Amino acid sequence: MPVIVKNLFRFSLFMLVQVYVLDNIRLHQMVTPYLYFLFILWLPFHINRTLLMIIGFAVGFTLDSFRHQPGFHASACVLIAYLRPFLINILIPQEGAESNYLAPSVQSMGGLLAFMVYAGLLAFIHNAWVFLLEAWQFGSVWYFLTKTLLSTAITLVLILITELIFSRKQRFRTNTT
Amino acid sequence: MRNIFLFIRRYFNVLLFVVLQVICLLLIVRYSKYHQAIFGNTANQITGKINAGYNNIEYYFHLRQTNDSLVKANEMLYNKLRYSFNLPDSVNREMLDSMKVDSLYPFRQYRFSSAKIIANDVTLPNNFLVLSKGSNDGFKPGMGVITAQGAVIGIITDVSNNYAVVMSLLHKDSKISGKLLKSGETGTLLWDGKEPNILVMNGVSKGAKPIAGDSIITSGFSTTFPKGLLLGRVISAKPDEGTSYLKITLRSAANFNTIEYGYVIDNFDAPGVNKLLEKAIKQQ
């Protein structure tokens, strides 16, 4: 399957799950489960940063259109799309893993821990940014902090489950093939 | 000149990042102010179609609840019919109205039209609903929406040809004028963003002594809702420190988790009243 088709399919699936499943779960007022931005984390290594940010904007904007409030998630997605390459550079263990593997995964990041740090940091940044933009309306620092931490915890659990169910087996690519 | 191009090429990603963030912030600020954005209509059409498709499936799972609520609404209407009242007093003798039925039409003030709710949020900090009818059916921004039982849901903020977006009572910008049924004191209903179905009412003077279970109705001071529609019931009332007002917590009459149908209220007097108000504001 071509990469673009695969990603378009993935994109619509993530959006539908986020809008019609996760947004309807009412665990607690402090918890908003987010999963859709995993799409950005799963994009291939070789995408250049300009395109990555534009994709991020499109992803956030789509969710915002469903919620009738443009701006909030688009802003957060652009932020994590901008920060993603920095984090990958820091966390990737061995030289050349970017060219040997297609996309960030447990395998290519060199272990579950590294991948969860990568996903956890970006999830925290995303949630904090969204709630910060929303908190202009409701105030209160403690409310903001607890909401961010609890939501990030739930999001991480969701990401872990998704990783376990849809394990993305990746071939080790070498120069010979 | 060459240096400028070099600079732009070197820092293109940073610049793009800043530009995109500024666009986002502009969208946030503009949209919450004017409740419409440049893309409003197109996004409405596309997401509206997807929502309608999803609702088509989900609708079957709520048929029982929808049916129950309609039966209840019908019961209420039967009880309002003239023949369900006994009139023993000769003063209340039934009289034949000299007015012709047809001629009533010009005097009608409100018209209710039903619409299916195809998308509904309660968990977000600012919640919206989407109706399956739009400007083709005469819906306009500013019209009120109620449930089959006559409980207030919200106000239309945006319409496209086939869909309408409703700002629910569970929205931080939602402000509706309410009134205590018993004592007649008026105040403003807001949502503090914490729990669905729980609202706050401000601006009621401390003289009023509402108790738990008291009804709060629409005041009829705006052109959106007729007087006397149920908004909610009081849970508790506490004096607000530092002001001379009470802070009333109430449970909304509409249960936002289960609504399936809404009735949109068209007030035929609204254009006239609003024109007068605009004139008065201009003259200030």
Side-chain angles (χ1 to χ4, degrees), chain B:
Chain B
M1 201 64 202
R2 194 166 155 265
N3 282 337
I4 295 173
F5 280 124
L6 274 178
F7 176 80
I8 292 176
R9 260 189 78 175
R10 178 116 194 254
Y11 293 102
F12 181 73
N13 283 322
V14 184
L15 287 174
L16 181 74
F17 173 69
V18 173
V19 167
L20 285 175
Q21 287 293 354
V22 168
I23 292 174
C24 293
L25 290 180
L26 276 178
L27 280 173
I28 293 174
V29 175
R30 277 190 68 92
Y31 200 80
S32 52
K33 257 189 193 154
Y34 305 111
H35 308 302
Q36 52 181 337
I38 330 118
F39 70 98
N41 249 342
T42 44
N44 239 346
Q45 287 289 3
I46 298 165
T47 55
K49 277 222 177 82
I50 301 173
N51 278 329
Y54 175 76
N55 181 263
N56 227 349
I57 303 164
E58 195 208 19
Y59 181 52
Y60 284 100
F61 298 105
H62 296 287
L63 276 181
R64 185 192 291 262
Q65 279 166 2
T66 310
N67 202 13
D68 284 351
S69 81
L70 291 178
V71 167
K72 272 208 192 99
N74 225 352
E75 182 193 358
M76 195 181 74
L77 293 175
Y78 268 127
N79 284 327
K80 279 185 181 163
L81 280 179
R82 188 137 207 173
Y83 63 67
S84 48
F85 293 98
N86 205 355
L87 303 165
D89 198 335
S90 61
V91 177
N92 284 337
R93 194 160 41 116
E94 243 180 293
M95 304 260 281
L96 206 70
D97 207 329
S98 60
M99 231 183 232
K100 277 197 178 124
V101 176
D102 254 348
S103 68
L104 253 171
Y105 183 72
F107 299 108
R108 172 186 278 276
Q109 197 189 344
Y110 298 103
R111 191 187 57 200
F112 296 79
S113 30
S114 71
K116 200 167 155 203
I117 293 166
I118 54 171
N120 175 21
D121 296 321
V122 296
T123 47
L124 313 179
N126 289 316
N127 296 295
F128 289 91
L129 301 106
V130 182
L131 303 179
S132 62
K133 289 181 187 171
S135 56
N136 283 351
D137 292 270
F139 292 1
K140 289 188 208 83
M143 287 180 174
V145 186
I146 58 171
T147 64
Q149 280 81 18
V152 173
I153 297 175
I155 298 171
I156 294 182
T157 54
D158 206 355
V159 288
S160 66
N161 285 342
N162 297 315
Y163 301 101
V165 174
V166 179
M167 183 202 273
S168 119
L169 280 186
L170 312 180
H171 188 291
K172 53 113 191 161
D173 288 335
S174 148
K175 280 194 186 77
I176 288 185
S177 160
K179 187 176 178 180
L180 288 166
L181 178 61
K182 248 191 216 162
S183 55
E185 309 266 349
T186 55
T188 313
L189 262 85
L190 306 164
W191 187 50
D192 55 4
K194 290 197 175 129
E195 212 176 319
N197 294 337
I198 305 292
L199 304 168
V200 175
M201 188 175 178
N202 288 331
V204 178
S205 65
K206 279 180 181 162
K209 296 216 159 46
I211 51 167
D214 276 4
S215 301
I216 290 169
I217 57 171
T218 50
S219 62
F221 288 165
S222 70
T223 53
T224 316
F225 294 107
K227 193 179 163 185
L229 292 174
L230 195 59
L231 279 163
R233 290 184 200 287
V234 175
I235 298 173
S236 68
K238 280 180 215 131
D240 197 0
E241 302 296 325
T243 63
S244 57
Y245 297 119
L246 285 174
K247 194 180 178 190
I248 301 176
T249 323
L250 60 135
R251 180 173 291 281
S252 66
N255 182 357
F256 284 90
N257 291 315
T258 58
I259 39 181
E260 286 287 332
Y261 276 96
Y263 292 83
V264 176
I265 306 170
D266 188 0
N267 184 350
F268 292 109
D269 287 352
V273 176
N274 290 338
K275 216 176 182 182
L276 273 178
L277 271 176
E278 261 171 42
K279 213 167 140 195
I281 289 167
K282 259 184 206 160
Q283 276 170 356
Q284 267 178 2

